[in-house]
Amino acid sequence: MALTIEQLNTASLSEALKALDGVYEHSPWIARLAMAQRPLRSLTHLKSVLAEVVRDAEPEAQLRLIRAHPELAGKAMVGATLTAESTQEQSAAGLTHCTPQEFERIQQLNAAYNTRFDFPFILAVRGPRGTGLSRQQIIETFARRLHNHPDFERAEALRNIHRIAELRLNDKFGAEPVLGNEVWDWHAALAQFSEPGYAEKDQLTVTYLSDAHRACARSIREQMLACGFDEAHIDAVGNVVGRYHAATPGMRTLLTGSHYDTVRNAGRFDGRLGIFVPMACVRELHRAGKRLSYNIEVVAFAEEEGQRFKATFLGSSALLGQFDPAWLDQKDAQGTTMRAAMLHAGLRIEDIPSLRRNPAHYLGFIEVHIEQGPVLSEIDLPLGVVTSINGSVRYLCEMVGMASHAGTTPMDRRRDAAVGVAELALYLEERAKIDGDSVATVGMLNVPGGSINVVPGRCHFSIDLRAPNDAQRDALAQDVLASLQRIAERRGLRCTVEEAMRASAAPSAYDWQHRWERAVNALGLPLHSLPSGAGHDAMKLHEIMPQAMLFVRGENAGISHNPLESTTNNDIQLAIEAFSHVLRQLA
């Protein structure tokens, strides 16, 4: 019979420890300290408390926990001395049926890993979906993580231990993240659509109005209708719009959604998580025959990434009446104009002005998004509430000095453009740290026509500055540009600066942010608030209506815009439950 939180709360300490035996490998001290925090509010709360105990433990205790785990396909497996839980997991992953070549490769990796880190390689072999990784996936992950920094890898080992514990707790409590599994599968199914040149390599690339993009739009529309939306259509810029009507006509609308286009060689969850989570919630309302006191409008925005044309946030801009007709004449790398691409896709350009939304008809905008950063992963929390989307400013710059012979120009007579930019990059790093939550990046740095034996006389570079509010961003920019001028003058250089983009910060509306906070609290999770360093469709909608965002933890230290981008079925389940809670609050 499945364990319950009520049983765990009322059990004696010895009974509770027995019930949780095997969750953390040979480490009953974790459960003992966690039980001191009873009563527990939910299984989610229990998982969080257990992770917190490990996080607060001394480094040596954490290391003992890591070392308590067996090697994958190691001596303990061969000698049949694994715990029952580890035996089941390694067997289910097929590690007991390795080919001789696979077994030899794993042994080589085990030896190299132990030499480098002095602890065993830990991997949640049941994976983010809970159904298991293939042996090939395990070996590829093993080889990749072998090159991590030791401190990072130690943290990654602990993160995998928590995922192993989560899956074992699910088994003990009979907890199956049914909706999380389905939405995880929806992402996998949509990822089948990718562009030529990438699809053959099993890479995901979906840029605006490509064949893959249009296939995604059709798939999302069909799925919206299957979920029970009353309407679903593809609008004049390629957004997929689904509406679920209120119980009575004439009511206002909750707007939600995110984008379905991707960067090149992308992950599966960026943007799309914010489409599928509300779709799952609408489907559950439809299945229950329930209507709310407001309409729900889910928009899968056609373009946010700016990959094919230089028109970032095209999809959400159209809803604000900010579609710039000049965009139509932009050309992609093949020389195709946006106008031609839209006509080829069957979109009615003349209908674009009618896409503008009247804010008076809307309650506000909320967006669920994978974090795209390491914060939630580092603190072992599945959900975080966004306080603000950072304001940003970008510059395209050129530093000009004097090209000269690398062998004959003395060090004190050089006018090295690249070294001037390098000095600025170091200044950016230190200046951003002063604020605590600002970030500054030199993302592009190029010496045109550079040669190994020539002092660089010219350097092209970019500057990207971001901060949680506009005043902080502007102060950072002022200091950076002043430093750039000082560096250039001192080194005998000259610099040109062109502002390429400026976006205002988008602080979350207090009442909407508080709704997300109540939803997270209702799940039994500690509340963690954080700014978003990345741009989102929410920052556009912020211009005409209140908005707030929920972040979902990413796997692999929160990496995004990368094939390693992922999240788990359990974290998706929690996002769905949090979204449903917000719907109930509004009702």
Side-chain angles (χ1 to χ4, degrees):
M1 182 176 293
L3 182 63
T4 67
I5 285 293
E6 291 74 18
Q7 290 171 341
L8 200 61
N9 281 332
T10 58
S12 67
L13 179 59
S14 61
E15 291 171 336
L17 294 180
K18 183 178 180 181
L20 295 177
D21 182 52
V23 172
Y24 283 90
E25 198 90 355
H26 301 298
S27 302
W29 60 271
I30 300 172
R32 185 179 299 110
L33 290 173
M35 290 305 95
Q37 298 192 40
R38 289 184 290 181
L40 300 160
R41 297 167 55 197
S42 63
L43 175 57
T44 300
H45 185 206
L46 170 61
K47 293 173 182 177
S48 176
V49 168
L50 289 165
E52 183 181 15
V53 167
V54 176
R55 189 169 64 253
D56 292 344
E58 294 294 327
E60 278 304 312
Q62 295 176 344
L63 189 55
R64 286 195 298 272
L65 170 62
I66 296 172
R67 287 174 173 161
H69 285 72
E71 290 182 337
L72 293 182
K75 295 178 181 178
M77 188 194 78
V78 175
T81 58
L82 295 174
T83 63
E85 292 82 7
S86 290
T87 298
Q88 181 181 7
E89 289 156 0
Q90 294 208 28
S91 176
L95 294 176
T96 52
H97 298 90
C98 288
T99 66
Q101 294 80 12
E102 289 170 335
F103 187 76
E104 181 181 3
R105 177 61 173 148
I106 292 173
Q107 297 313 300
Q108 292 171 347
L109 289 167
N110 272 325
Y113 190 93
N114 274 287
T115 298
R116 176 165 168 76
F117 299 114
D118 195 29
F119 53 75
F121 173 70
I122 312 297
L123 178 65
V125 295
R126 288 167 68 180
R129 173 60 168 79
T131 50
L133 301 173
S134 68
R135 292 196 297 274
Q136 186 59 36
Q137 287 174 315
I138 291 170
I139 291 171
E140 289 174 355
T141 304
F142 207 153
R144 171 174 54 82
R145 283 176 45 190
L146 184 59
H147 300 289
N148 284 340
H149 186 280
D151 291 342
F152 180 90
E153 184 55 25
R154 182 167 168 158
E156 189 69 4
L158 291 172
R159 284 190 283 267
N160 275 272
I161 286 171
H162 292 314
R163 175 58 176 163
I164 293 167
E166 174 168 67
L167 291 163
R168 291 176 178 180
L169 284 167
N170 288 350
D171 294 340
K172 286 181 178 290
F173 282 80
E176 181 71 16
V178 175
L179 296 178
N181 287 338
E182 289 189 80
V183 170
W184 204 97
D185 292 342
W186 291 354
H187 284 87
L190 195 64
Q192 70 179 295
F193 302 115
S194 186
E195 295 179 20
Y198 297 93
E200 298 86 345
K201 302 174 187 176
D202 197 28
Q203 295 176 353
L204 176 62
T205 298
V206 178
T207 62
Y208 185 55
L209 296 183
S210 64
D211 289 345
H213 184 273
R214 293 160 57 205
C216 284
R218 292 191 296 269
S219 176
I220 293 169
R221 177 184 175 274
E222 291 168 3
Q223 195 160 0
M224 283 180 170
L225 293 172
C227 284
F229 282 77
D230 298 294
E231 308 169 34
H233 70 279
I234 299 171
D235 72 15
V237 295
N239 297 327
V240 188
V241 182
R243 288 180 65 88
Y244 188 71
H245 296 161
T248 55
M251 305 304 290
R252 289 202 291 170
T253 299
L254 172 67
L255 184 61
T256 185
S258 195
H259 63 98
Y260 65 93
D261 68 318
T262 76
V263 297
R264 291 175 174 84
N265 195 17
R268 295 177 175 181
F269 295 89
D270 176 14
R272 297 171 177 199
L273 188 64
I275 301 168
F276 287 139
V277 165
M279 281 174 58
C281 293
V282 167
R283 189 188 65 177
E284 294 309 294
L285 289 171
H286 175 70
R287 285 177 169 177
K290 187 172 183 179
R291 299 280 175 172
L292 303 178
S293 56
Y294 52 89
N295 306 296
I296 300 173
E297 183 176 350
V298 180
V299 180
F301 293 108
E303 199 288 326
E304 189 254 24
E305 297 288 5
Q307 294 290 299
R308 184 176 181 186
F309 302 100
K310 297 177 182 178
T312 308
F313 299 114
L314 182 155
S316 48
S317 293
L319 271 59
L320 276 65
Q322 295 179 1
F323 183 92
D324 186 349
W327 290 342
L328 295 170
D329 297 320
Q330 289 185 2
K331 294 182 179 180
D332 65 11
Q334 283 69 47
T336 302
T337 65
M338 184 186 295
R339 184 191 310 276
M342 296 179 84
L343 292 174
H344 177 71
L347 302 181
R348 292 174 54 86
I349 296 173
E350 62 271 23
D351 290 345
I352 293 176
S354 68
L355 303 183
R356 183 174 183 175
R357 300 301 197 263
N358 184 345
H361 298 163
Y362 288 85
L363 297 167
F365 178 82
I366 56 177
E367 182 173 357
V368 174
H369 207 284
I370 196 166
E371 183 198 350
Q372 299 181 282
V375 176
L376 295 176
S377 179
E378 288 178 353
I379 59 177
D380 306 307
L381 286 179
L383 303 177
V385 179
V386 177
T387 55
S388 177
I389 304 171
N390 283 2
S392 62
V393 61
R394 295 176 183 171
Y395 302 100
L396 297 175
C397 312
E398 181 181 48
M399 189 79 86
V400 180
M402 177 65 72
S404 58
H405 197 292
T408 63
T409 310
M411 297 304 294
D412 61 354
R413 292 177 178 82
R414 297 184 176 207
R415 293 166 58 196
D416 189 324
V419 172
V421 179
E423 183 179 344
L424 178 73
L426 292 174
Y427 173 80
L428 259 65
E429 186 175 57
E430 295 305 314
R431 173 58 183 83
K433 287 179 181 177
I434 293 173
D435 294 339
D437 49 7
S438 293
V439 291
T441 307
V442 174
M444 297 189 299
L445 200 160
N446 175 49
V447 177
S451 179
I452 195 169
N453 61 347
V454 177
V455 175
R458 190 179 298 272
C459 187
H460 297 155
F461 64 102
S462 64
I463 302 173
D464 184 303
L465 307 175
R466 308 187 190 208
N469 60 72
D470 292 348
Q472 185 172 317
R473 174 204 62 191
D474 293 344
L476 174 64
Q478 182 178 352
D479 289 350
V480 166
L481 295 181
S483 177
L484 174 57
Q485 185 63 31
R486 287 194 300 270
I487 291 169
E489 289 177 357
R490 176 164 42 80
R491 291 181 171 273
L493 309 170
R494 57 186 173 87
C495 188
T496 60
V497 178
E498 175 190 352
E499 184 175 307
M501 187 275 284
R502 181 176 293 265
S504 296
S508 300
Y510 174 78
D511 51 345
W512 288 92
Q513 180 180 328
H514 194 49
R515 289 185 179 102
W516 280 127
E517 291 169 351
R518 285 197 293 266
V520 170
N521 179 67
L523 295 171
L525 285 169
L527 179 63
H528 185 80
S529 302
L530 69 167
S532 171
H536 303 285
D537 292 297
M539 69 192 302
K540 292 299 298 180
L541 275 301
H542 174 83
E543 297 179 26
I544 63 170
M545 65 181 71
Q547 64 79 28
M549 293 184 68
L550 181 75
F551 272 169
V552 181
R553 169 176 54 188
E555 286 209 308
N556 300 312
I559 194 169
S560 185
H561 285 183
N562 185 295
L564 294 176
E565 174 188 276
S566 185
T567 188
T568 68
N569 54 353
N570 283 94
D571 288 0
I572 294 174
Q573 179 77 29
L574 291 174
I576 295 168
E577 292 174 9
F579 197 100
S580 296
H581 194 279
V582 170
L583 295 182
R584 291 195 295 274
Q585 291 180 59
L586 288 171

